Amino acid sequence: MTSIDTAPDLIARFLHDAARYPGGHAAGVVRPTSVEEMSETLRVAPHQGGPYRVLAVGAQSSLTGGATPFGDLVLSTERLTSLRVEGDCVHAGAGVTLQAIQDALAAIGRWLPPVPTYLGATAGGAVATCAAGAATFKYGTFRSWVHGLTVVLASGEVLTIERGQRRASELIAVPALRMPDVPKSSAGYFLAEGMDLVDLFIGSEGTLGVIAEVVFRTAVQPAARCHALVPVADESTGIQLVADLRAAAQRTWHAHDPLGIDIAAIEHLDARSIAVVREDGVDRKLEITLPTGAGIVLLIEIELSAETAALDLWRQLESARDADAPDSPLKRFCALLDRHGALDDAEIALPDDKTRAAAFAELREAVPAGVNRRVATAQQQIDPGIYKTAADMVVPFERFDEMMRVCRRLFAERGLDLVVWGHISDGNVHPNVIPRSADDVTTGQEAILLLGEAVIAMGGSPLAEHGVGRNPIKQELLRRLYGSAGIDAMRAIKRSLDPNGVLASGVVFPSA
């Protein structure tokens, strides 16, 4: 068995994840180098000098505290780094970063489409949380791309499974729970009649088994991509523009129209987000013009075929308003923006302008960074009881405008400084509070719970893509989504696979 390392310097590396939950502490760290070592660790370690509870961690990029140990034995996957490409699949150890996977695939003209923004996340962590990226609208979440898994159960038993081989009902009793019909939902266990056994472990946050290896399907890279930054006067108009872009993309896919608009992703920043980047001088640094009075900024990724990419794209933009200009995806895209009064302020980066596309992405990432910095400053200067207060919710897109109206009303009624950004093409938003006092944290949590109830009533999920983790508000949202009976059914599955509660205690559900 891999030895348990109790060196303080090593343990200190693993005491926090991206949520920065205070009080992290660990009994020790094990770092297996193979599936066999992981299996022996789980078979022996919980009973050796303990008993230990075990928390498997990857990059610890969790935003929910799910990768913060509280007395656990940390099982780090950082040494499980085998990586090989076979045909249209890639086999990755749990500790392989998404960046390493994309680099290996790029060499043969392929990619893994559902990757999230943070490419330092690991294969095991991404699958354990059912991560989703900006391109969920076109490509789905990680669930759609997992072909097979090697999972080590709490007992040390190793399961190697491929999609289509076994149903979950061969291992557990699958309860009848109705999951939200939305593009993404990281809300406890995936449970559906006739479901594949692979799907049981995806999104289970390390509570049912530890993912040791993943086999992903991959795709041929798009021939080219354009990136557009589109300021829009008000949120309602922006939402309608997104609705029209979504519809146009869906028509393109259905008809296989080579001249159609092929949208992979649409991100958005609200007016307060725009104010944050202005306050921080990010727009000036990046030389991005954001019109005064813009109510929302859309960041749009458009894919082009090889035939379209070979044409004179600059000419297409220059002649976008010419009635006799040849039909093309960019002409149609510009015409759609024009109908919503958004063309004149739009900036489009063509495929060869990777620097500008990177600037758009940096602008987007500057918003959560700016909010997190303000929260940290308030914690230091105002009250140590201040901490990040944020939500992660998704609704069917036709209810998105309604959700945003409810969201703004709930936070405004409580006098909260609200910042909203997210993956608007999926109907997914991240409302964040910039707290000015500890009371703002409490009232912000109250607003999040009420918004979660409204989202559930709209057929959405109050837990879209970040998972549940140890966050008590998210655990309460999970209970409100499925009810106490649903939580009891999930706990029963946990007990059937991990009767001694060895794995990830306190994650997804409060500790019993």
Side-chain angles (χ1 to χ4, degrees), residues 302-371:
I302 309 155
E303 294 185 357
L304 302 177
S305 67
E307 295 78 10
T308 302
L311 301 175
D312 186 344
L313 301 182
W314 273 117
R315 177 59 186 155
Q316 291 179 33
L317 294 180
E318 290 171 345
S319 62
R321 284 191 170 115
D322 295 351
D324 58 350
D327 192 12
S328 73
L330 286 182
K331 178 178 173 61
R332 294 187 190 183
F333 177 70
C334 290
L336 205 158
L337 297 188
D338 211 12
R339 285 201 296 274
H340 290 272
L343 180 58
D344 288 338
D345 291 325
E347 181 181 354
I348 300 174
L350 295 180
D352 59 352
D353 196 351
K354 296 188 180 352
T355 300
R356 203 60 181 155
F360 295 169
E362 186 175 343
L363 182 80
R364 193 272 189 206
E365 291 309 305
V367 177
V371 170

Side-chain angles (χ1 to χ4, degrees), residues 95-134:
V96 177
T97 65
L98 301 181
Q99 183 69 67
I101 292 172
Q102 295 293 53
D103 289 346
L105 292 171
I108 57 170
R110 301 188 73 84
W111 70 312
L112 183 58
V115 294
T117 304
Y118 179 56
L119 293 178
T122 61
V127 173
T129 57
C130 194

Side-chain angles (χ1 to χ4, degrees), residues 105-435:
L105 292 171
I108 57 170
R110 301 188 73 84
W111 70 312
L112 183 58
V115 294
T117 304
Y118 179 56
L119 293 178
T122 61
V127 173
T129 57
C130 194
T136 298
F137 170 58
K138 180 173 182 179
Y139 293 105
T141 68
F142 263 95
R143 187 178 302 282
S144 307
W145 295 86
V146 176
H147 176 68
L149 293 173
T150 298
V151 180
V152 183
L153 301 182
S155 63
E157 179 184 353
V158 178
L159 294 180
T160 299
I161 48 180
E162 287 188 5
R163 190 172 290 282
Q165 284 188 338
R166 296 179 65 182
R167 291 189 174 187
S169 57
E170 297 176 34
L171 189 65
I172 62 160
V174 180
L177 287 183
R178 183 179 177 183
M179 295 185 294
D181 185 13
V182 285
K184 57 177 76 165
S185 183
S186 188
Y189 303 153
F190 181 93
L191 298 168
E193 185 178 358
M195 63 182 279
D196 198 287
L197 182 55
V198 166
D199 285 318
L200 178 65
F201 295 99
I202 300 172
S204 63
E205 300 192 44
T207 61
L208 301 181
V210 180
I211 293 169
E213 294 179 351
V214 186
V215 182
F216 292 113
R217 294 188 305 109
T218 67
V220 175
Q221 285 188 350
R225 298 180 181 92
C226 293
H227 295 82
L229 184 146
V230 183
V232 183
D234 61 85
E235 189 166 81
S236 181
T237 302
I239 292 170
Q240 186 55 56
L241 171 55
V242 172
D244 289 350
L245 287 167
R246 280 170 44 95
Q250 289 161 345
R251 288 193 299 271
T252 296
W253 304 336
H254 179 74
H256 303 286
D257 182 359
L259 300 177
I261 302 170
D262 188 356
I263 301 292
I266 309 175
E267 303 277 280
H268 80 288
L269 311 175
D270 77 344
R272 185 66 178 99
S273 300
I274 297 168
V276 166
V277 298
R278 281 198 177 117
E279 290 165 10
D280 293 346
V282 177
D283 56 332
R284 297 185 296 278
K285 171 194 164 190
L286 299 173
E287 298 183 344
I288 290 175
T289 300
L290 299 173
T292 302
I296 188 172
V297 169
L298 304 177
L299 298 162
I300 305 169
E301 185 175 317
I302 309 155
E303 294 185 357
L304 302 177
S305 67
E307 295 78 10
T308 302
L311 301 175
D312 186 344
L313 301 182
W314 273 117
R315 177 59 186 155
Q316 291 179 33
L317 294 180
E318 290 171 345
S319 62
R321 284 191 170 115
D322 295 351
D324 58 350
D327 192 12
S328 73
L330 286 182
K331 178 178 173 61
R332 294 187 190 183
F333 177 70
C334 290
L336 205 158
L337 297 188
D338 211 12
R339 285 201 296 274
H340 290 272
L343 180 58
D344 288 338
D345 291 325
E347 181 181 354
I348 300 174
L350 295 180
D352 59 352
D353 196 351
K354 296 188 180 352
T355 300
R356 203 60 181 155
F360 295 169
E362 186 175 343
L363 182 80
R364 193 272 189 206
E365 291 309 305
V367 177
V371 170
N372 292 344
R373 189 165 53 252
R374 285 163 172 77
V375 173
T377 299
Q379 186 181 60
Q380 294 167 1
Q381 298 181 358
I382 300 174
D383 191 323
I386 289 174
Y387 51 89
K388 187 173 176 69
T389 308
D392 166 36
M393 304 199 182
V394 60
V395 292
F397 187 79
E398 59 270 18
R399 306 297 294 271
F400 188 83
D401 193 20
E402 178 185 359
M403 176 185 68
M404 288 309 304
R405 290 196 302 271
V406 173
C407 176
R408 299 216 175 276
R409 175 179 59 78
L410 289 172
F411 286 81
E413 286 173 348
R414 290 159 179 80
L416 297 168
D417 187 359
L418 176 67
V419 188
V420 183
W421 66 88
H423 315 293
I424 192 171
S425 51
D426 307 331
N428 176 202
V429 293
H430 304 306
N432 276 247
V433 173
I434 299 179

